[in-house]
Amino acid sequence: MTKRKQIALSALALSATLLTGCDQINQIATDIATEEAGKAVEEWPSPSAPEESPAELINTNEIGSQIEALTVKGKAPMTNYKREEFGQTWEDVDRNGCDQRNDVLARDLTNVIFKQGTRDCVVLSGTFKDPYTGETIEHVRGGGKVDIDHVVALGQAWASGAQQLTEQERTWLANDPMNLMASDASANRQKGDKEASAWLPPNKSFRCEYVSRQIMVKSKYKLSVTKAEKNAMIVVLNSCPN
């Protein structure tokens, strides 16, 4: 073999070694990125399953300690608030094949009729006992009588710390079944982005669960309360049977 061929073969061997090393480095980097992404996912607050009743998930023994642990501070400005900051409307964050709006309708309504061919994902109609007003509503898809309310309104969440969350965490907040409930459309719009010191359900028998859910959501996503809001919550809690 000529010296020129030996040099050429050596160069090819070196190139192959370097390429292999690059592939290994790239693979290591990919593995690390995947592992870190997995850790991040594990650290996100996990929404409860849609079929679980939020009332059953409320631990009355923890509500008092949770509200005391909440940070008390003034509202942040609504600067840069947009619904889009909380991800796509009605995601399927629990990956059950149905979006969260229909999950909540299926959970909160009775006598539910689903659209055929949707694997029981699209709710066409059902009977709804509205917890905000105590009224019974016959829901029909597109009828405009029933909304899906965010118990901690997204604008309120933004002003109490959600702007410091990641986009993924805000998406989970906006689609967490604990923070979602079917409601009378008129009552939902009266509520708007108000917190507990500015609005409570007209149906007084539901106020304990309503305030408890707000406390749990704010605790879960590390949101703050104003002094007036906390005082209003405490007044409600003091009237609760438990």
Side-chain angles (χ1 to χ4, degrees), residues 94-114:
D94 49 37
R95 299 294 182 262
N96 71 340
C98 308
D99 65 64
Q100 297 304 87
R101 174 181 171 78
N102 281 287
D103 274 340
V104 173
L105 287 172
R107 182 195 68 191
D108 292 354
L109 275 59
T110 58
N111 304 318
V112 175
I113 296 176
F114 295 97

Side-chain angles (χ1 to χ4, degrees), residues 90 101 104-105 108-109 128 130 132 137 139 144-150 180-190:
W90 309 130
R101 174 181 171 78
V104 173
L105 287 172
D108 292 354
L109 275 59
F128 176 51
D130 175 42
Y132 282 172
I137 302 170
H139 167 71
K145 293 183 178 181
V146 176
D147 283 351
I148 303 299
D149 180 42
H150 290 93
L180 295 176
M181 57 175 286
S183 68
D184 171 77
S186 178
N188 180 37
R189 289 157 201 179
Q190 288 174 9

Side-chain angles (χ1 to χ4, degrees), residues 75 190-191 194-200 228-229 232:
K75 292 181 182 178
Q190 288 174 9
K191 171 192 172 183
K194 300 181 182 73
E195 34 83 359
S197 67
W199 190 90
L200 289 169
E229 180 184 6

